[in-house]
Amino acid sequence: MTSWLEGSLKEKLYRNVDAERCARTRRGVGAIHHEPGHRVSGNAALQAHLGSLEHDLAVVRAVVEHATGGRCNSKRQHVGFLSFTTEPVALNPSSVRYAATPIHAIPIIRENGAGATKTRPSTRRSVLNGPRHPPIPWLPLSAVSRALGHQSASRGTDVKMNDPVENAKRLAAYKAVDNHVVDGIIGIGSGSTVVYAVERLAQRVKDEGLDVICVPSSFQAKQLIVENGLRLGDLEMHPELKVAIDGADEADHQLTLIKGGGGCLTQEKILASCAEQFIVIADYRKASKSLGEQWKKGVPIEVIPSSYRPVAQKIEKLLGGKSELRMSGSSKAGPVVTDNGNFILDWRFEGAHDWKEVETTLNMIPGVVENGLFVGMAKKAYFGMSDGSVMEQSV
Ligand SMILES: O=C(CO)[C@H](O)[C@H](O)COP(=O)(O)O
């Protein structure tokens, strides 16, 4: 039986290994054994992944503790074998999806194994004794730092890697990057799902030598690109993009979107309009039959600050509903200020609308910079599901 702990460990330690590829190459993502007495042992694969043994132990212990929420006693049994005794952990039935990944034994690392194969030149101890294995990608630093509870350039999200919603975001993002990104200029959207797309891009640049220049849609996206060591570009240098990948607050059956929950709708729409392909990545909560079914905060509208009152009044007169100035909350007194120095109105609408008409009506009001309705722009969306699958939607 696959336990929640085992699934979590795989998730954390092998998150940059594509599960399908592993199954094909029989590389063994699941080289972790969970014995019923709450004992977890990870073999040489962990060490091959994580570098020096001392560092491994600290990182792996932190990951295990993060996964279990409990205490972890780790000890070095012999070279290349790590063993952990953890607090009792509850089995979580939602982890059965991990059972789909075959578990293979991976040979123990030895100092000087006969017929040894070097897995990574920089790891002196990383010598596999046994059948030849392709090099295993390293755990990205960002994954380790998330496991240790550090924050990334996401919107202040403390990413919990055993959270089904975070998993769903990651699955959708990884699949979209794998299916749509080739060498060229890529538009990077904003939000918490895009964090995973950038992470995957960085892995592919490192592992496959993918040659991409990334154009950001926000300050957050720019930070992500820089933090992940990707090449930064802009629309001035690269006005045409091969693909733009972005999240959404809601997507209906025609892939009409509400965007701008993170306040970056204007640049996001500009990027989407410059891309040959605009790809949406989201978790299962964002898919709906009609707009407003899932997303209750309304359509974000970026406005010139001095115009917010008359714009709000005009919207209500023309379209009904209620327009509210978005406030910063506890992080700052006063309204949210966008990357462009503007305000955001959230228009809570009632009933069904002709969204193309609404988009045009909103943008015709003097003072409106842009609105968060994306009509007819997305042709493909990836929704990560709670069962670990990815639902694809095309129009
Ligand atoms: O439009 C956006 C930001 O302006 C985001 O794409 C949208 O809010 C979705 O964000 P998340 O991926 O965090 O759910």
Side-chain angles (χ1 to χ4, degrees), residues 154-155 157 165-166 169 189-196 217-218 220 245-250 258-268 278 280-283 285-286 295 300 326 344 372 374:
S154 61
R155 296 197 309 244
T157 325
V165 172
E166 291 305 321
K169 291 178 188 179
S190 309
S192 56
T193 315
V194 162
V195 172
Y196 296 109
S217 62
S218 61
Q220 180 229 0
I245 298 184
D246 202 348
D249 298 306
E250 188 171 20
I258 294 181
K259 285 184 51 55
C264 314
L265 54 127
T266 302
Q267 302 94 303
E268 288 172 343
F278 173 48
V280 175
I281 51 175
D283 61 79
R285 303 169 305 167
K286 312 295 182 68
W295 180 253
R326 193 182 292 181
I344 300 271
F374 285 48

Side-chain angles (χ1 to χ4, degrees), residues 49-83:
H49 268 261
L50 293 170
S52 82
L53 188 60
E54 289 70 25
H55 181 61
D56 288 351
L57 283 172
V59 171
V60 174
R61 180 188 297 135
V63 169
V64 171
E65 286 181 347
H66 184 81
T68 61
R71 193 173 46 83
C72 171
N73 302 313
S74 59
K75 60 179 180 187
R76 180 177 162 168
Q77 286 194 327
H78 54 82
V79 172
F81 194 90
L82 311 179
S83 170

Side-chain angles (χ1 to χ4, degrees), residues 80 121 131 213 246 256 258 273 304 326 344 349 358 361 366 382-384:
I213 295 175
D246 202 348
T256 299
I258 294 181
S273 77
I304 299 294
R326 193 182 292 181
I344 300 271
F349 55 89
V358 173
T361 304
Y382 292 83
F383 297 97

